[in-house]
Amino acid sequence: MQAETVFQLGSPGLQGPGAAILGAAMDGAQYVLVGEAHFSQEIPRFTVSLCHQMARKGLRAMAVETGPEAVRLLNNDLRRSDRTSRLSAFMRAHPDAMAFQNNIAESAMSADCAREAGDAFQLWGLDQEFFGASGFMLEEMAAAAQGPAAKEAIARLRELDRRSTAGAVSSGSPGKLLIYTIGDAQMSAARTAIVKDGGSRALQLFDELAETRAIFLASSSGIGDPNGRRARLIKRTMSSYLWGVPANSRVLVKFGDVHVAKGFNSLRQRDLGNFVTEYAEGRGASSLHILVMGKEGSLGAYNGFGRQVKVEPYTPIADGDYPWFASALAGRPRQAASSDWILLDLRQLRDIPAQEIPAAWRQLVLRYDLVAIAPKLTPAFLAGVEGVASAVAQ
């Protein structure tokens, strides 16, 4: 397939013929979106190379699949030499308080991108907070609360949270956490008290926690529209960040692959990727959507509350979620070495008549611009959690 070429992952840049294609595509885009398989070591390294390329023309932020309150704490430590030890200490105190950025490889990626991009660079957290975030959010609420009614209500919530977190730690089940076990009446009473005299910051934190609870409850129960609610939250939060920076700011976005697709994604949502491409075009700019995968390997996977990830095989062909993948690998350039990454330029396929291209490829071509395929993915692990050695051995 003429649309396929290869490149090599350097430090920090990319080399090989595919690097020129990637570089030119990124230089022409104000917003670059990376859609990934989570918990690998290779995709964060690839993302640092994108930061290196984008920083040449200015890189203001990287938007990540983490909540804004967790990211606010991360930004405070992003350039500190003791960043990793501080993250580990925070995660020991607040297990599962954030998603993905508590991954050692992701944390290193964020720090490396900050170094590449300069002092103005920040992380943007777009997602709901993670299900273990209630403890540190309630700490923040208690510090911000102004009046006695709010302080008393928050103190009650903190006691409930301590008990529920202890149950989650002992069982390994996130279902024991506060967001799953507290009732609607308790939440309503607490909000009434915080509205009375808590102040704007305490109320903001409470409403963020309530939104997190609503999304996770809907997801666990199957009642409601958790994917749609989450997508709308992500887009609202992205909008709030974009309003706060100059209109020409360049932004890198790194989310799970389903979220960065253009049009309707596999969850039947017009998600972040569609929002960004429409936002860019409405401002006379452009976006670039890159799907990043591996040929094979293994990834970290959730293993219970406060526990180190388990290692699971990564088998994109056998999984059936990527029906085009086997034919893409079959078209691998003959000169490719076993260590090369493959770059598939989907933009070259858009002029092929619809009846001449398989349905799975038509869908892929409409959702993404480029596909980058690593020769192998290896698992990444959580900071501040014991058990890396045993996880590797599984």
Side-chain angles (χ1 to χ4, degrees), residues 75-375:
N75 276 324
N76 291 338
D77 293 344
L78 197 55
R79 294 168 178 83
R80 292 181 61 120
S81 60
D82 59 349
R83 167 187 53 81
T84 302
S85 62
R86 288 173 65 86
L87 175 62
S88 295
F90 176 79
M91 296 314 305
R92 284 191 291 269
H94 303 288
D96 286 358
M98 67 179 74
F100 305 123
Q101 285 290 313
N102 58 338
N103 165 334
I104 295 168
E106 294 286 314
S107 178
M109 171 200 71
S110 298
D112 288 345
C113 284
R115 184 167 55 251
E116 290 284 336
D119 293 342
F121 175 88
Q122 284 194 323
L123 295 176
W124 291 354
L126 305 188
D127 216 346
Q128 81 271 12
E129 302 299 331
F130 206 39
F131 44 55
S134 53
F136 91 85
M137 293 183 74
L138 287 165
E139 287 179 5
E140 298 279 326
M141 276 185 239
Q146 297 174 2
K151 289 179 179 180
E152 183 179 349
I154 293 167
R156 286 195 295 268
L157 291 178
R158 293 186 72 185
E159 180 56 33
L160 289 173
D161 183 70
R162 279 190 285 269
R163 282 186 252 153
S164 61
T165 300
V169 169
S170 62
S171 66
S173 171
K176 302 289 187 182
L177 289 169
L178 180 73
I179 64 164
Y180 293 107
T181 56
I182 191 171
D184 291 344
Q186 291 169 296
M187 289 290 289
S188 179
R191 191 178 194 280
T192 297
I194 293 169
V195 167
K196 180 178 180 181
D197 60 10
S200 60
R201 174 60 177 160
L203 182 59
Q204 176 196 352
L205 286 161
F206 181 87
D207 285 345
E208 287 174 344
L209 183 60
E211 184 71 5
T212 293
R213 173 179 178 262
I215 290 170
F216 278 113
L217 281 178
S219 181
S220 64
S221 68
I223 299 173
D225 181 23
N227 292 323
R229 185 166 186 162
R230 184 182 174 203
R232 290 188 290 273
L233 171 65
I234 288 169
K235 288 184 279 190
R236 290 197 306 271
T237 308
M238 183 68 166
S239 294
S240 69
Y241 281 114
L242 289 168
W243 290 335
V245 297
N248 63 349
S249 296
R250 303 189 77 210
V251 180
L252 178 62
V253 177
K254 183 174 179 291
F255 262 66
D257 58 12
V258 68
H259 300 289
V260 306
K262 292 177 278 189
F264 281 92
N265 63 20
S266 59
L267 298 176
R268 292 176 290 182
Q269 302 296 327
R270 289 186 301 239
D271 214 312
L272 176 63
N274 190 70
F275 171 79
V276 171
T277 196
E278 294 287 356
Y279 178 87
E281 289 180 1
R283 301 182 69 87
S286 64
S287 61
L288 181 72
H289 302 245
I290 309 172
L291 173 60
V292 189
M293 304 177 61
K295 178 183 175 183
E296 58 186 2
S298 55
L299 298 174
Y302 191 73
N303 195 33
F305 182 76
R307 299 179 181 179
Q308 188 53 264
V309 298
K310 58 185 176 181
V311 176
E312 292 188 344
Y314 175 68
T315 54
I317 293 178
D319 290 345
D321 292 333
Y322 307 94
W324 51 270
F325 193 60
S327 57
L329 292 179
R332 179 186 180 92
R334 292 180 180 178
Q335 73 276 18
S338 60
S339 60
D340 283 343
W341 287 58
I342 298 172
L343 182 70
L344 175 57
D345 190 347
L346 300 175
R347 299 168 300 176
Q348 295 187 31
L349 308 180
R350 290 190 182 138
D351 291 335
I352 298 175
Q355 66 271 19
E356 296 180 15
I357 187 169
W361 279 94
R362 287 201 304 271
Q363 191 175 69
L364 177 70
V365 164
L366 294 175
R367 288 177 175 173
Y368 303 97
D369 300 307
L370 302 170
V371 180
I373 304 173

Side-chain angles (χ1 to χ4, degrees), residues 36-49:
E36 68 162 357
H38 293 306
F39 274 98
S40 81
Q41 301 205 45
E42 289 72 22
I43 296 176
R45 291 174 192 155
F46 172 79
T47 304
V48 174
S49 295

